[in-house]
Amino acid sequence: GDSVTQMEGPVTLSEEAFLTINCTYTATGYPSLFWYVQYPGEGLQLLLKATKADDKGSNKGFEATYRKETTSFHLEKGSVQVSDSAVYFCALSPGGTSYGKLTFGQGTILTVHP
Amino acid sequence: ETGVTQSPTHLIKTRGQQVTLRCSSQSGHNTVSWYQQALGQGPQFIFQYYREEENGRGNFPPRFSGLQFPNYSSELNVNALELDDSALYLCASSSPGGTKNIQYFGAGTRLSVL
């Protein structure tokens, strides 16, 4: 079945540092890929998405490129802020009639210090 | 804010009891999906409802059941509660058309089973 694997362990950075959170996936067909963010005590917010190979999703300074050859969708940001501290989830949605049935990674906790 | 509302926000039950969680979808959305998020884990897909019919189910036992109403709001029912059912339950709605792959999440219901 479909699966998503994120880099393990929390990430701790200083403000203005460069961020990378790795995400790889296993899926049949042509899934859509997403990054969601979860702030403490809240639900999930869509951060960015990509629906086909080589698409780049971007939002609020975050970027991720859909790489079909490496089955990856790594999240990057050039300069993080304290307000970016949250849990980040990579997810995929199968195509066809299974749209919207998301498979999530285990999440990566990001803490940014001033 | 996504416009998806869930109630109640918190709930405490004892093992063996039954619980009903509610979700109001965003205006114009006819598809509702439910997810279970255990502490420290990514959300797991429970099932999806489209126009009042179940449209796919994840790896959850039959004691997890649902309904969708004509106004597209939805309920998640869990019978014979077990300790492992303690989790954050998230509802997500989506719209037909080109953006149907995008799920908009509510803030969730935190269920504790004692």
Side-chain angles (χ1 to χ4, degrees):
Chain A
D2 297 343
S3 67
V4 176
T5 302
Q6 292 182 230
M7 60 189 297
E8 294 184 5
V11 175
T12 303
L13 296 172
S14 298
E15 205 164 26
E16 299 184 5
F18 183 84
L19 168 70
T20 299
I21 301 177
N22 289 337
C23 171
T24 57
Y25 68 91
T26 302
T28 55
Y30 302 94
S32 295
L33 301 175
F34 305 85
W35 278 99
Y36 280 86
V37 58
Q38 187 173 37
Y39 297 99
E42 298 185 11
L44 301 173
Q45 299 177 25
L46 177 65
L47 182 59
L48 52 83
K49 68 177 178 70
T51 58
K52 61 183 187 297
D54 299 325
D55 265 2
K56 177 184 282 188
S58 61
N59 187 26
K60 300 180 182 179
F62 291 90
E63 293 183 340
T65 301
Y66 189 150
R67 300 289 189 199
K68 192 167 177 62
E69 64 276 12
T70 54
T71 61
S72 65
F73 192 55
H74 305 322
L75 182 68
E76 297 182 336
K77 186 175 186 182
S79 176
V80 294
Q81 305 300 311
V82 172
S83 58
D84 293 327
S85 298
V87 184
Y88 292 80
F89 292 95
C90 184
L92 71 81
S93 176
T97 58
S98 296
Y99 76 85
K101 296 158 190 169
L102 294 167
T103 298
F104 286 87
Q106 68 270 38
T108 300
I109 300 172
L110 171 65
T111 303
V112 180
H113 293 297
Chain B
E1 191 168 313
T2 63
V4 179
T5 58
Q6 293 186 242
S7 62
T9 54
H10 294 87
L11 204 50
I12 299 174
K13 292 286 187 178
T14 56
R15 195 169 49 182
Q17 285 188 312
Q18 179 266 342
V19 69
T20 298
L21 310 182
R22 294 178 175 83
C23 172
S24 294
S25 60
Q26 186 168 320
S27 177
H29 289 187
N30 61 8
T31 302
V32 172
S33 303
W34 286 91
Y35 295 82
Q36 180 195 66
Q37 186 180 13
L39 197 62
Q41 302 294 316
Q44 292 200 340
F45 174 74
I46 303 174
F47 44 56
Q48 183 184 87
Y49 278 82
Y50 171 66
R51 293 187 176 179
E52 303 178 56
E53 297 287 331
E54 188 178 290
N55 182 42
R57 187 179 186 91
N59 189 26
F60 281 82
R63 60 189 185 85
F64 285 78
S65 63
L67 283 173
Q68 188 178 32
F69 300 99
N71 66 355
Y72 303 132
S73 65
S74 178
E75 288 183 352
L76 164 65
N77 298 290
V78 187
N79 293 322
L81 283 167
E82 301 178 359
L83 297 179
D84 284 348
D85 295 334
S86 296
L88 179 68
Y89 288 85
L90 295 165
C91 164
S93 72
S94 58
S95 65
T99 58
K100 61 185 179 182
N101 257 330
I102 298 177
Q103 302 283 295
Y104 295 89
F105 284 82
T109 294
R110 174 75 61 187
L111 172 65
S112 298
V113 182
L114 306 179

